[in-house]
Amino acid sequence: MTRNVTIRDIARAAGVSISTVSRALNGQVPVAPDKRQRVLDATRRLGYEPNAAAQGLVRGRTMTVGVLTQDIASPFYSEVSRGIDAGLAGSGYQPIFVNGHWEIQDEAAAITALTRRQVDAVIVLGGRLDARQLRDLHARVPLVVVGRQVPGLDDACLSVDNVQGAFLATTHLLQLGHRRIAHVAGIPSQRDAVDRLEGYRLALAEAGVPFDPALVFEGNFNEASGIQAVEHWLGRAAHFSAVFAANDQMAYGVGLGLYRRGMRVPEDVSLVGFDDLPASQFTLPPLTTVHHPAREMGELAARHLLARLNDPGAPAELPQLPITLSVRESVRFARSP
Amino acid sequence: MTRNVTIRDIARAAGVSISTVSRALNGQVPVAPDKRQRVLDATRRLGYEPNAAAQGLVRGRTMTVGVLTQDIASPFYSEVSRGIDAGLAGSGYQPIFVNGHWEIQDEAAAITALTRRQVDAVIVLGGRLDARQLRDLHARVPLVVVGRQVPGLDDACLSVDNVQGAFLATTHLLQLGHRRIAHVAGIPSQRDAVDRLEGYRLALAEAGVPFDPALVFEGNFNEASGIQAVEHWLGRAAHFSAVFAANDQMAYGVGLGLYRRGMRVPEDVSLVGFDDLPASQFTLPPLTTVHHPAREMGELAARHLLARLNDPGAPAELPQLPITLSVRESVRFARSP
DNA sequence: CTGTTAGCGCGTTCAA
DNA sequence: TTGAACGCGCTAACAG
């Protein structure tokens, strides 16, 4: 393409030095009004845009915050990203998103890409990067980890009490009289999954309902594993009146699996999810689910980083966001046996 | 944080000049094996990462392609983005995503942000930017516009034949005996919406079914407007046996609206969507919908740009991707009247 | 094969 | 208030 117009072109066109152009544009230092005007005119006329890379090089700040997400099309992380976008709006900082694909190597490569781009801060959404790598990163740049609790990085982690959320969901079912509650768990290597299973067990224990391993199916957080769970249970004639899925996507799958077998939600089986994705308001029936404040977490992470960027001495403390249950229509009283 | 380690630190540590470091790392020019090794060692030991901004400055290429998307959490554009991500994988180019929020001003600001960052190419997903702005952009940097057909920019646009897609959907319904087919249209200022309405009308005309304006509801591409459409029709006792929604999200809303009124899909009403979002495989029932090759479009856009970046003289031609119907379970024969 | 040097575009001293 | 000059970190001639 044609060579970009640079500050020198503007200087020449306005008949001033490049430092005057710089000053007129950045507006910290006083500049004679007429010269300022000439610079502004030339800028507009030639369509000048300062080169961000050059600015970053000399200023030592690039005004970007890197966001490592796992899958740009994952509904849950998209919500967090949207929050980040909103939290950064108007701050002058720009998010740059990279994908880790839930693969340690991709994640590491993505972090490297961010580092090379000299991002001023980093937000990591989930992922498998181990604690050491994250601590190393934290040592080089302000960091917030969303959706994970990393040992030794507590004040940089923003997550929700998953045990509590699952407890809430299960208790809701229990209070409605359900006793045979099945659970579609998530990937056991992910802490969230483990915690949610834990919350489920805790709630059962508290209600004096025995835990039955046959009612737990290990899924992978995708819709398909919800279907598999139903097939699995029905194939072995397991008996249950409710299902708690470790995320909404698996709950959708459960709904479909049940439908395929001619069973209705909530008439035959009650169903509760986890995450409260926007889509869950529109499923058939609308899904009762644990509300995960994804959007808010993103926004909070962004604002927190901005605060630290503007005042490195600012106290770190990230609050833990409350988790609630969104009660909709996928749950009913258990029929008396 | 602590000052970054630079090429000079490596040079010192390895006892060579900075140009040797550069050469050893970039590996185009021959370097003595022992020196190369010393450089590599120092690099690893000090954790050196080249500053991408500085590289970009001198090379004139930043190895990034800017992606202007509208809403990072929109299921459709996420799919396209995922395709872009895949298409760029391994090329050395990195996508950087910015959001336009379907607001001309935000879009313009986002483009400016990309320009300032000296992106080597741009992909625009939808949006409201007018043809002039896009042509200006095209003049400065290789560009592909996905999901829109911009006058005067034909060889840079990648979209699908929306008329044809809607025609396919409507014809499918007609062939199954439906005569009263309602349509939830999209935002009339968006070309896709207009084209899909057009395809619907064309199909009706070809089948000799009169067009009834009372059966068209103008939605806004969100789930909620699907519900509204149903309320609207039922409120005026409109009579229909099938609904074609201009996108899947509105189709979900239609499904829910119908459910609220005690009507079942497909037993009482047949339903067809447009886009074939991943979620449509798991709705109740799985949705028959026009398959929009979103992922492929993203990938194609990326590869196309890569080709042009590597060989600016390469022929431009972007193919038009075929559009098909994904037949699932939301459609049935019309009951004889 | 290697070191020295000249910029890439910009912000920021330092003098004037 | 302004311009000249320096340097941010790096690559690419240019001499050796």
Side-chain angles (χ1 to χ4, degrees):
Chain A
M1 307 288 111
T2 58
R3 194 181 63 80
N4 267 313
V5 2
T6 78
I7 198 173
R8 235 174 294 274
D9 299 317
I10 303 302
R12 198 169 310 121
V16 298
S17 74
I18 61 168
S19 11
T20 299
V21 175
S22 174
R23 287 190 278 252
L25 259 25
N26 295 310
Q28 308 291 7
V29 187
V31 171
D34 61 318
K35 298 199 174 175
R36 168 189 305 281
Q37 196 51 52
R38 293 215 305 275
V39 168
L40 262 29
D41 289 346
T43 297
R44 185 159 21 253
R45 190 155 42 80
L46 302 189
Y48 170 68
E49 298 290 353
N51 181 325
Q55 289 182 317
L57 200 56
V58 46
R59 283 185 169 145
R61 307 203 310 171
T62 53
M63 302 304 283
T64 62
V65 354
V67 181
L68 170 60
T69 180
Q70 299 307 325
D71 172 4
I72 210 165
S74 138
F76 179 74
Y77 287 116
S78 303
E79 277 303 300
V80 182
S81 301
R82 183 185 260 176
I84 293 172
D85 189 50
L88 252 30
S91 69
Y93 283 86
Q94 248 242 306
I96 126 168
F97 295 90
V98 292
N99 287 258
H101 309 116
W102 290 107
E103 300 286 347
I104 280 201
Q105 309 211 350
D106 286 18
E107 289 184 59
I111 289 292
T112 300
L114 292 179
T115 310
R116 293 189 170 201
R117 286 201 153 61
Q118 310 291 118
V119 295
D120 297 325
V122 173
I123 300 179
V124 171
L125 308 187
R128 304 188 197 277
L129 247 25
D130 63 42
R132 198 185 48 72
Q133 292 172 290
L134 289 171
R135 281 195 301 261
D136 285 354
L137 181 60
H138 188 49
R140 319 180 78 233
V141 60
L143 167 74
V144 171
V145 179
V146 176
R148 276 180 67 183
Q149 213 59 43
V150 183
L153 230 49
D154 308 277
D155 58 344
C157 291
L158 184 57
S159 72
V160 113
D161 188 337
N162 284 289
V163 177
Q164 164 73 1
F167 183 88
L168 235 48
T170 311
T171 298
H172 180 66
L173 256 8
L174 254 6
Q175 285 173 344
L176 259 22
H178 294 279
R179 286 296 171 269
R180 300 286 301 167
I181 303 175
H183 178 53
V184 194
I187 304 169
S189 63
Q190 278 179 241
R191 182 65 190 280
D192 319 18
V194 177
D195 285 352
R196 291 173 196 180
L197 174 57
E198 173 68 10
Y200 160 80
R201 295 188 63 155
L202 244 40
L204 291 182
E206 192 180 279
V209 173
F211 170 74
D212 181 355
L215 287 184
V216 174
F217 179 85
E218 184 179 304
N220 66 0
F221 281 136
N222 287 332
E223 289 87 348
S225 56
I227 301 180
Q228 288 160 17
V230 172
E231 290 303 317
H232 172 83
W233 291 319
L234 263 30
R236 7 185 107 200
H239 168 67
F240 57 92
S241 70
V243 177
F244 164 47
N247 77 351
D248 283 2
Q249 287 175 268
M250 295 196 294
Y252 305 156
V254 168
L256 182 53
L258 257 12
Y259 173 85
R260 294 238 178 281
R261 294 303 202 104
M263 302 171 76
R264 309 214 158 277
V265 173
E267 291 82 349
D268 303 311
V269 174
S270 286
L271 179 59
V272 179
F274 200 118
D275 278 351
D276 200 3
L277 298 181
S280 295
Q281 304 168 55
F282 303 102
T283 54
L284 255 51
L287 186 68
T288 290
T289 178
V290 179
H291 181 74
H292 200 154
R295 185 87 170 268
E296 295 88 328
M297 285 169 76
E299 195 158 342
L300 194 59
R303 293 199 188 291
H304 175 83
L305 249 17
L306 288 179
R308 286 188 33 205
L309 251 16
N310 292 327
D311 173 15
E317 279 313 286
L318 272 166
Q320 186 165 59
L321 262 34
I323 195 158
T324 56
L325 190 68
S326 290
V327 176
R328 291 199 270 259
E329 304 161 41
S330 62
V331 171
R332 269 213 191 158
F333 278 102
R335 289 176 296 195
S336 26
Chain B
M1 308 293 113
T2 59
R3 193 181 64 78
N4 267 313
V5 2
T6 78
I7 197 173
R8 235 173 293 271
D9 298 318
I10 304 302
R12 198 168 312 123
V16 297
S17 74
I18 61 169
S19 23
T20 298
V21 175
S22 174
R23 286 189 281 252
L25 259 25
N26 295 310
Q28 308 292 7
V29 188
V31 172
D34 60 320
K35 299 198 175 177
R36 168 189 305 281
Q37 197 50 52
R38 294 215 305 274
V39 168
L40 263 30
D41 289 346
T43 297
R44 185 161 18 254
R45 190 154 44 80
L46 303 188
Y48 170 68
E49 297 291 353
N51 181 326
Q55 289 181 316
L57 200 55
V58 45
R59 284 185 169 144
R61 306 202 313 170
T62 54
M63 302 305 282
T64 62
V65 353
V67 181
L68 170 60
T69 179
Q70 299 306 324
D71 173 4
I72 210 165
S74 139
F76 178 74
Y77 287 116
S78 308
E79 276 304 300
V80 183
S81 302
R82 183 185 260 176
I84 293 172
D85 190 50
L88 252 30
S91 69
Y93 283 86
Q94 247 243 306
I96 127 168
F97 296 89
V98 292
N99 287 258
H101 309 115
W102 289 107
E103 300 288 346
I104 281 200
Q105 308 210 351
D106 287 18
E107 289 184 60
I111 290 291
T112 301
L114 292 179
T115 310
R116 293 189 171 201
R117 287 204 153 60
Q118 311 290 118
V119 295
D120 297 326
V122 173
I123 300 178
V124 171
L125 308 188
R128 303 188 197 279
L129 247 25
D130 62 41
R132 197 184 49 71
Q133 292 172 289
L134 289 171
R135 281 195 301 261
D136 286 355
L137 181 60
H138 188 49
R140 319 179 78 233
V141 58
L143 167 73
V144 171
V145 179
V146 176
R148 276 179 67 182
Q149 212 57 43
V150 183
L153 229 50
D154 308 277
D155 59 345
C157 291
L158 184 57
S159 72
V160 113
D161 188 338
N162 285 289
V163 177
Q164 165 72 2
F167 184 89
L168 234 48
T170 312
T171 298
H172 181 65
L173 257 5
L174 288 163
Q175 285 172 344
L176 259 23
H178 294 279
R179 285 298 171 267
R180 299 287 300 168
I181 303 175
H183 177 53
V184 194
I187 303 170
S189 62
Q190 279 179 240
R191 183 64 191 280
D192 319 18
V194 176
D195 285 352
R196 291 172 197 181
L197 174 57
E198 174 67 10
Y200 160 79
R201 296 188 61 155
L202 242 41
L204 291 182
E206 192 180 277
V209 173
F211 170 74
D212 181 355
L215 287 183
V216 174
F217 179 85
E218 184 179 304
N220 65 0
F221 280 135
N222 287 332
E223 288 88 348
S225 55
I227 301 180
Q228 288 160 18
V230 172
E231 290 303 318
H232 172 84
W233 291 319
L234 262 30
R236 8 185 106 199
H239 169 66
F240 56 91
S241 71
V243 177
F244 165 47
N247 77 350
D248 282 2
Q249 287 175 267
M250 294 196 294
Y252 305 157
V254 168
L256 182 54
L258 256 13
Y259 173 86
R260 294 238 177 281
R261 295 302 203 105
M263 302 171 77
R264 310 214 159 278
V265 173
E267 291 83 348
D268 303 311
V269 175
S270 286
L271 179 60
V272 179
F274 200 117
D275 278 351
D276 200 2
L277 299 181
S280 295
Q281 304 168 55
F282 302 102
T283 55
L284 256 50
L287 186 68
T288 290
T289 179
V290 179
H291 181 75
H292 201 154
R295 186 85 171 269
E296 295 87 327
M297 286 169 74
E299 195 157 344
L300 194 59
R303 293 199 188 290
H304 175 83
L305 249 16
L306 287 179
R308 286 187 34 203
L309 252 16
N310 292 328
D311 173 14
E317 279 312 288
L318 273 166
Q320 186 165 59
L321 262 34
I323 196 157
T324 55
L325 191 68
S326 289
V327 176
R328 291 199 270 260
E329 303 161 41
S330 62
V331 171
R332 257 199 205 173
F333 278 103
R335 290 176 296 198
S336 27

